[in-house]
Amino acid sequence: KEQAQVHSAVQDAQKSVMSQLKPGVSWLEMHRVAERTILKHLLEMGVLKGGSVEELMKHDMASLFMPHGLGHFIGLDTHDVNGYPKGGAKKDNSLGPRWLRTQRILEANMVLTVEPGLYFNDLWIASSIKDDEKKSAFVDQDVLRKYINMGGVRLEDDVVITEDGYENFTVVPKTIKEYQAVVGKYSPVCPPC
């Protein structure tokens, strides 16, 4: 049950971002869309409590569970350069956005990954809240314990921004049902997850 909830949260975050991809969109804002979606699910799961999504955003709570940027450019190298060109916008170094490899406005023909994630890293979460009473109060430790040994989920799609949206190059199973159909053929380990 918990694994399915985590996968659904990440899949929802990816769909929320992908539905808005087009030229003129801020990659920083897309990162924030993913964070808000993850926070909404963490509230529904009971891992977080006592605040609205926007209040949790003000306290950088998403960074406890998505400790990475939303994605990166793809080019000649896996992590292509020029995420921060000279004369470009000033980088937002707040806790979540500091991990972004770019904060540019999307343009047609840019190729990048869209890879939100939801992780339960005990050491990272504990160290992030230990000296912050407000952050600590948002976390339901009893519910968190149900998820902590799971690790997490990250879904990556590779896209090119087109004149009016995007084209997705990633064609792999994404839903739990699709995973089960593939895994079930090869392993008795994953009955309905």
Side-chain angles (χ1 to χ4, degrees):
K1 174 186 168 191
E2 286 82 11
Q3 188 174 7
Q5 290 173 318
V6 172
H7 181 274
S8 294
V10 177
Q11 189 174 22
D12 190 24
Q14 190 179 54
K15 285 180 181 178
S16 295
V17 169
M18 304 270 279
S19 72
Q20 298 180 49
L21 291 180
K22 63 183 178 184
V25 169
S26 161
W27 189 244
L28 173 59
E29 183 52 34
M30 293 300 93
H31 180 83
R32 294 298 197 194
V33 166
E35 287 183 323
R36 284 183 184 92
T37 306
I38 294 292
L39 289 172
K40 177 187 77 127
H41 282 273
L42 288 167
L43 284 167
E44 290 169 359
M45 293 157 57
V47 174
L48 296 178
K49 62 182 182 174
S52 67
V53 167
E54 289 309 313
E55 186 176 3
L56 295 169
M57 288 292 291
K58 288 178 190 168
H59 291 277
D60 294 318
M61 293 301 292
S63 66
L64 273 65
F65 301 94
M66 191 173 122
H68 58 83
L70 178 60
H72 53 83
F73 286 122
I74 302 174
L76 297 176
D77 190 7
T78 301
H79 297 99
D80 203 11
V81 296
N82 209 20
Y84 295 97
K86 287 184 180 180
K90 188 174 189 309
K91 183 176 179 180
D92 179 342
N93 276 314
S94 58
L95 193 52
R98 78 172 58 153
W99 295 313
L100 286 170
R101 293 182 182 266
T102 188
Q103 294 179 16
R104 291 175 60 181
I105 302 300
L106 298 180
E107 299 173 17
N109 299 316
M110 286 181 168
V111 181
L112 58 154
T113 67
V114 180
E115 48 182 304
L118 173 50
Y119 292 95
F120 296 92
N121 180 316
D122 194 26
L123 182 60
W124 173 250
I125 294 168
S127 67
S128 297
I129 65 175
K130 79 173 188 171
D131 295 325
D132 189 324
E133 287 182 32
K134 186 65 174 173
K135 279 186 178 183
S136 183
F138 287 131
V139 179
D140 186 318
Q141 293 293 333
D142 292 329
V143 176
L144 177 62
R145 270 193 283 285
K146 294 190 320 188
Y147 295 87
I148 208 72
N149 290 324
M150 171 179 315
V153 171
R154 190 168 183 170
L155 300 176
E156 176 179 332
D157 280 22
D158 301 334
V159 302
V160 61
I161 304 302
T162 62
E163 292 296 330
D164 59 353
Y166 70 93
E167 180 181 344
N168 191 342
F169 295 133
T170 306
V171 184
V172 297
K174 293 183 186 182
T175 68
I176 292 171
K177 263 188 172 170
E178 291 169 340
Y179 288 146
Q180 289 169 337
V182 171
V183 172
K185 292 178 184 177
Y186 304 103
S187 170
V189 179
C190 184
C193 301

